[in-house]
Each structure stands twice: as C-alpha cells, then as structure tokens.
Amino acid sequence: MRFVYAILCVLIDLLPLRAQHDLRFSLFSTPVLSASDSNKVTIRADIVGFFKNNEYFSPVAVGQTLPGTASTFALGYQRADRFKAELGASFVKYSGRDPLHNAVPFVRLQYSITPALHMVLGNLYGGINHRLIEPLYLWEQHFTAKPESGLQCLFHTDRWFADAWVDWQHFIRYGDPEQEALTFGASLAGRLTNDGSRVSLTMPLQLLMHHKGGQIDASGEHTTLLANTAMGLCTRLNINSEWVRTVGLDLYAVGYWGQYSKEPFEPYDKGWGVYPVFSVDASPIVFMAGYWYAQKYYAFAGEPLFGSFNPCYPDQLLPERNLVTCKLVFDKELLTGVFMGAQFESYSDLHRGKTDYSFGIHLRFNHLFRFTK
C-alpha cells in the first residue's frame, strides 16, 4: 500500500509539469492479434543483429561498443482474435564473448479485450514499444536489457495511445538477502487535431518510476523510489512532397524526483529539464536537432548524457546541462519481415566545449511461422 500511495503522490506532484518522433519503427512489435491466426500453432522468430559504438568522454557517461545479436524464439497458440499464449526463450549474444547474456525463458499470455485494448501477463511489449523519449529511456537497452516481465495494459487507436505496465525485475521471498525491485511506467499520447489536418498536434504524457525495497527481505538496506516524468506538445506540418513528408517541432518538460528512507545516496533528489526538438522526416531518413537544458537532472533508465551525475562516479557533477543534440537516422523495411536501421547521434556540451557521439546499425528479422492445428 505504501508503494501505491507513493505512486499517487508522484502523479499529483509531478505530472502538472505523440512521444518523440518514432525514429526506429523497425524495432516495434504490434500487440494486434489477427483472426486469420485463430486455432493455429505459430513459431515466432525475432532476431536483431546490432552494432553500436558510443564515443562518450563526458564525466557523466561511459563510452562502450556493443556488437552482437538479440533473439527471441517462441512457440504460440491463438484462440480466435482474443487470446494467445507463447512459450520460448530470449537471449543476447555479444561478439567476442562466449557466454550468452540475459538468457531467460520467454512466456507471454495475452488477452485482447477489444481489437484496440490488450492485457498482457508475463513478458511485455517493452523497450522502444513504450515510446518513451530519450531523457527517460536509453534506446539501446531494447537490444541489451533483460526482457521486461510483469503486467501490461495497452490501448492503441489512430488517435490515442496508452501503455501502462509493471516490470517486476527482482522477485523475493520472506528472508531473502536482497530487496525486491520493480519499475512502473505509463506512456500516454493523444492527437488533438482531426484526421486530414495539415498541422497535427499530439500531447504525450510519460511517467517512469523505479522502486527498490520491500518488507520481507533481510537485506537491511534502505528503500528508494526514483521517478521521471515528461509532458510535451508535438507538432507536425504535413508537407507530403516528393522528398519531405513532415516537418516537426516538439517541446518537452521533464522532471526527476527521488525519495529515500534515509539520507540520499545520489547527489540530488530532484531536478528538471526542457527539450525542444526540430525534425524533418524524409523517410526512410529522418533528421533531428534539439537543445537540452537541465538543472540537477537524473534518469535511472535514460540516456546518461542528459544527466547531471553518474551513479558510478557521484563526485563527478554537472549540475547545469546545456546540450545540442543532432540525429540522422535511416529506418526501412527492406523485405517483408526484414528491417534495417542506422543512425548517427551527437551531443555537444556547450559548457565543456566538447562533443560526444555515437553511431550504429541494426538488421532485424521478425517473422511468424504459422501451422494449422
């Protein structure tokens, strides 16, 4: 009950403060169940090969190169267009490292209450599918992180998007030496303009909370609760010319808040930021330029370059952030079920007079093999 109460408090305190441009649609997964798959056994193969090089030299981020593959294989069975069960395995394999990383069972039960409303238990439609902006979510975790598991409710129409979930990251029993850990999230977006309007307005609202604690563990550690929120207004001018589809301007207000049962183990317990972003969609190429200004901001799951400190080196502090961001992204479906993406991203720190950058490429094969019962 205390955790539920804390969620309500953060919603009340922080929220009065269409997600950032969907750059990597090739990594999305749809929860829609097709009636044509009714009473069929399926095998889903979702394989992503990735290479991402982060040339980071900032005191608040660590540079690294990520070469490898992320794979999920699942055997499924669907009843009508309402229910589907899947069982399989998910893992990451890094090039040059023999053991598998995050090798875990994959189990998903999904019930579609309506074609637009879905309930998921087990492994979630996670990662990039939540449509969180970069100051809240580091997108490379879609490749590298352990698959999210817990409870999820999804609602998606042409005008509205709603995603609420609990990712239960560490389950404990009475007397366990470690604390339980879970993340609660909500990602909402509503289009304010009518279909066919030349100017499209969308308002996203996002919340991400991480809880670590519990009442039945024997760790003796203190309870912590971290939260990030974002609220924005996204505009798109539909050009629909031979070269340019849309021109956009998005504005986000972002917040950070931390609650600790005793003294904070982080340098700051609250902060904020603003993030205007200009974009040009010339699909399959998208260009974006943004400006990030923040005071004492921290995101436990976000791009670390947006933060004011590194938890691994908390004495390295940058309380005020001034970043100019530039992104050039290629994203395209090459063949049915075969997708390719590539990107170059730069983050210029105006205070330090230095630029951190990253580049990478990914190739995805996502196919559902169907067998009649």
Side-chain angles (χ1 to χ4, degrees):
M1 288 300 297
R2 280 188 285 181
F3 178 59
V4 174
Y5 175 75
I7 291 177
L8 294 176
C9 289
V10 171
L11 282 168
I12 294 171
D13 289 343
L14 292 181
L15 287 182
L17 262 168
R18 174 172 164 169
Q20 180 172 316
H21 199 290
D22 297 334
L23 290 177
R24 301 171 181 93
F25 75 91
S26 61
L27 297 174
F28 286 179
S29 298
T30 176
V32 176
L33 301 182
S34 173
S36 62
D37 291 333
S38 177
N39 296 322
K40 289 183 180 178
V41 174
T42 60
I43 295 178
R44 182 165 59 89
D46 190 354
I47 309 170
V48 182
F50 58 88
F51 180 91
K52 189 169 188 289
N53 183 38
N54 298 333
E55 294 291 334
Y56 294 169
F57 305 97
S58 170
V60 297
V62 177
Q64 62 177 338
T65 302
L66 299 168
T69 57
S71 305
T72 297
F73 301 95
L75 177 68
Y77 179 70
Q78 182 174 315
R79 294 295 301 271
D81 59 352
R82 291 296 185 90
F83 176 78
K84 187 171 186 178
E86 290 185 286
L87 176 64
S90 179
F91 57 87
V92 176
K93 173 65 174 67
Y94 288 115
S95 302
R97 192 177 182 92
D98 291 334
L100 297 178
H101 181 68
N102 285 335
V104 293
F106 181 94
V107 183
R108 176 186 288 161
L109 297 173
Q110 176 179 340
Y111 179 66
S112 295
I113 302 169
T114 71
L117 180 60
H118 313 275
M119 180 180 69
V120 179
L121 284 165
N123 286 106
L124 313 180
Y125 293 93
I128 282 179
N129 294 291
H130 297 312
R131 304 190 182 186
L132 299 173
I133 63 173
E134 194 176 22
L136 269 66
Y137 179 75
L138 174 62
W139 74 270
E140 68 189 41
Q141 295 177 100
H142 189 86
F143 302 140
T144 62
K146 183 178 178 180
E148 298 173 32
S149 182
L151 170 66
Q152 182 177 34
C153 291
L154 281 162
F155 180 75
H156 188 195
T157 67
D158 290 339
R159 189 157 191 156
W160 302 100
F161 172 80
D163 182 3
W165 70 96
V166 177
D167 175 23
W168 210 279
Q169 295 154 325
H170 187 66
F171 169 81
I172 62 172
R173 294 186 174 88
Y174 181 81
D176 277 357
E178 297 178 339
Q179 294 178 310
E180 69 179 5
L182 58 100
T183 296
F184 167 83
S187 178
L188 314 172
R191 182 162 51 83
L192 307 179
T193 51
N194 296 323
D195 292 335
S197 299
R198 190 176 184 194
V199 177
S200 175
L201 297 177
T202 304
M203 180 174 288
L205 183 63
Q206 301 176 358
L207 169 68
L208 202 61
M209 300 179 61
H210 179 70
H211 162 79
K212 189 174 182 181
Q215 297 176 308
I216 61 174
D217 65 278
S219 68
E221 297 181 12
H222 304 311
T223 299
T224 62
L225 181 64
L226 304 175
N228 290 117
T229 60
M231 184 175 183
L233 182 64
C234 305
T235 64
R236 293 289 180 273
L237 175 61
N238 297 310
I239 305 296
N240 291 325
S241 70
E242 182 180 358
W243 300 102
V244 177
R245 291 179 57 189
T246 63
V247 174
L249 180 62
D250 304 341
L251 177 62
Y252 300 96
V254 184
Y256 153 64
W257 179 82
Q259 178 177 305
Y260 312 90
S261 58
K262 291 206 173 180
E263 68 279 354
F265 60 86
E266 309 291 13
Y268 312 118
D269 59 7
K270 63 178 62 175
W272 59 274
V274 292
Y275 192 33
V277 182
F278 170 78
S279 64
V280 177
D281 183 349
S283 295
I285 296 175
V286 176
F287 169 77
M288 297 177 64
Y291 173 68
W292 170 253
Y293 179 83
Q295 291 276 355
K296 301 179 180 179
Y297 180 76
Y298 172 66
F300 59 90
E303 167 59 64
L305 287 171
F306 287 86
S308 290
F309 63 91
N310 184 343
C312 298
Y313 308 100
D315 57 330
Q316 299 289 326
L317 303 179
L318 297 175
E320 183 180 63
R321 304 309 317 277
N322 280 277
L323 290 179
V324 174
T325 65
C326 290
K327 301 177 185 295
L328 187 63
V329 177
F330 172 88
D331 207 71
K332 186 176 183 180
E333 185 173 13
L334 304 178
L335 302 166
T336 301
V338 178
F339 305 86
M340 180 180 178
Q343 79 286 333
F344 176 83
E345 302 169 300
S346 68
Y347 307 83
S348 299
D349 190 326
L350 301 184
H351 278 331
R352 297 169 55 242
K354 296 184 178 180
T355 298
D356 300 286
Y357 63 93
S358 71
F359 57 87
I361 188 171
H362 67 266
L363 191 64
R364 182 189 187 193
F365 173 71
N366 184 34
H367 187 72
L368 192 69
F369 298 92
R370 299 169 172 87
F371 306 91
T372 302
K373 182 178 177 183

